[in-house]
Amino acid sequence: MSHSHRPLTITKLKNMKQEGVPISMLTAYDYPSAKLAEEAGIDLLLVGDSLGNVVLGYETTIPVTLDDMIYHTKAVARGAAGTFIVADMPFMTSRVGVETALRSAARLMQEGGAHAVKMEGGREIADEVAACVRAGIPVMGHIGLTPQSVHQIGGYKVQGKLEQEAERLLADALALESAGAFAIVLELVTEPIAEKITNRLSIPTIGIGAGRHCDGQVLVFHDLLQYASPYREKRFVKTYADIGTTIRDAIGRYVGDVKQRAFPEQRHAFEAATAAQSKDEAMSLYGGQDGRKTP
């Protein structure tokens, strides 16, 4: 299935909440993953700073820079022109003042091609969210477990277990809505508080490890597909394939073939030919005149 229409708008997303239509969201970090997700019919793509963990090999998202985010957002935008794309504001591009937030968000949209940005935090970033919204930059909120604050939080812990935490999360969600956020990600939040927040807000909630009652769900591309080595199971993730094992096994077979001289075979080799034949062959190799495919 392929998107032949324009990306969703924030108005349509709010209508989906009102109509009870679940919202599907997935992370993407490059052209092929974005293109495949769009062809599968995904509603939203998130260029998450989780790319620090799953693509760049960092232990946390903190080392991810704004330039990193722009680079990967550009690739995703090229692959999924028919899908609404949200780009993460990386560490220390929000919570440090309205001007920095505005400049960073503007770069993600102007240079990266994002349709919206996502900011981690609650009441403490309300002014920055409001300033971006006033400037015409759609903002998605993100509360609960906020990975950029992992050292302050003390690890990757479920949020909202205590009554005081639950009250804080609800207050943060309401503050983000009042500031103009068009949706809020709830990460690793207990199901009862996620349901309470979802029912109180007029904007969609998108859960990851937040239970069954959010307006939508988001997963990390590499978790959904077990595209990692080793893959660490997570309680809140459902995996739909194991491409990590498939890739490793396929590369292993290739290595074996090369070592045993089973590849290349005669059918992979080329004989001398006339100039005309060579031109026709080149056209076939490169997929036609556009030259997009390479051997």
Side-chain angles (χ1 to χ4, degrees):
M1 180 168 57
S2 177
H3 281 207
S4 59
H5 53 74
R6 293 183 178 181
L8 289 173
T9 64
I10 58 177
T11 300
K12 289 179 181 177
L13 288 169
K14 290 179 181 178
N15 289 341
M16 289 173 75
K17 176 185 175 80
Q18 293 170 0
E19 295 166 7
V21 179
I23 299 165
S24 63
M25 187 172 183
L26 184 67
T27 66
Y29 312 104
D30 55 28
Y31 175 90
S33 61
K35 191 168 183 61
L36 289 168
E38 179 173 272
E39 290 171 353
I42 203 74
D43 292 318
L44 303 175
L45 284 174
L46 170 65
V47 188
D49 60 358
S50 49
L51 70 89
N53 306 88
V54 298
V55 176
L56 302 181
Y58 297 129
E59 289 294 321
T60 70
T61 63
I62 292 172
V64 177
T65 67
L66 181 59
D67 285 340
D68 289 334
M69 292 304 307
I70 292 169
Y71 177 88
H72 286 271
T73 302
K74 287 167 69 173
V76 169
R78 287 192 293 268
T83 303
F84 193 94
I85 297 168
V86 183
D88 259 337
M89 295 273 284
F91 183 65
M92 294 304 287
T93 54
S94 59
R95 306 190 189 205
V96 289
V98 167
E99 184 175 349
T100 298
L102 282 169
R103 290 184 184 279
S104 301
R107 288 192 64 196
L108 284 168
M109 294 187 71
Q110 280 189 317
E111 299 175 43
H115 299 99
V117 299
K118 179 167 75 65
M119 293 188 192
E120 290 187 11
R123 285 162 287 180
E124 71 277 11
I125 64 164
D127 289 345
E128 290 159 281
V129 171
C132 286
V133 172
R134 285 196 299 270
I137 300 171
V139 178
M140 176 179 284
H142 182 162
I143 61 174
L145 174 69
T146 47
Q148 292 173 17
S149 304
V150 64
H151 295 311
Q152 184 179 22
I153 293 171
Y156 296 94
K157 300 178 179 179
V158 176
Q159 305 294 301
K161 287 187 174 181
L162 303 176
E163 185 176 349
Q164 184 177 2
E165 288 179 349
E167 291 174 357
R168 173 179 56 80
L169 287 168
L170 178 58
D172 284 340
L174 292 169
L176 291 171
E177 180 182 43
S178 295
F182 71 90
I184 299 177
V185 169
L186 304 179
E187 180 169 359
L188 285 186
V189 174
T190 58
E191 187 172 73
I193 186 60
E195 182 178 18
K196 185 175 182 179
I197 290 171
T198 300
N199 291 338
R200 284 287 300 273
L201 298 182
S202 64
I203 59 176
T205 59
I206 299 177
I208 177 166
R212 298 163 290 176
H213 306 295
C214 295
D215 298 302
Q217 299 291 330
V218 59
L219 283 178
V220 170
F221 185 91
H222 293 63
D223 285 345
L224 184 152
L225 298 172
Q226 293 191 42
Y227 186 11
S229 180
Y231 176 73
R232 296 178 177 86
E233 291 188 3
K234 304 173 180 68
R235 177 175 172 178
F236 58 90
V237 171
K238 180 177 179 180
T239 58
Y240 292 82
D242 181 3
I243 67 169
T245 296
T246 300
I247 290 170
R248 183 170 48 249
D249 289 350
I251 295 172
R253 292 197 302 273
Y254 162 69
V255 172
D257 277 1
V258 171
K259 297 295 184 182
Q260 297 165 21
R261 296 192 179 279
F263 174 83
E265 302 170 42
Q266 184 177 1
R267 62 194 176 96
H268 302 119
F270 306 99
E271 304 295 334
T274 65
Q277 288 173 323
S278 297
K279 182 178 179 181
D280 290 342
E281 185 176 67
M283 292 281 286
S284 174
L285 279 173
Y286 286 83
Q289 294 182 350
D290 61 5
R292 291 190 179 184
K293 292 185 180 179
T294 57

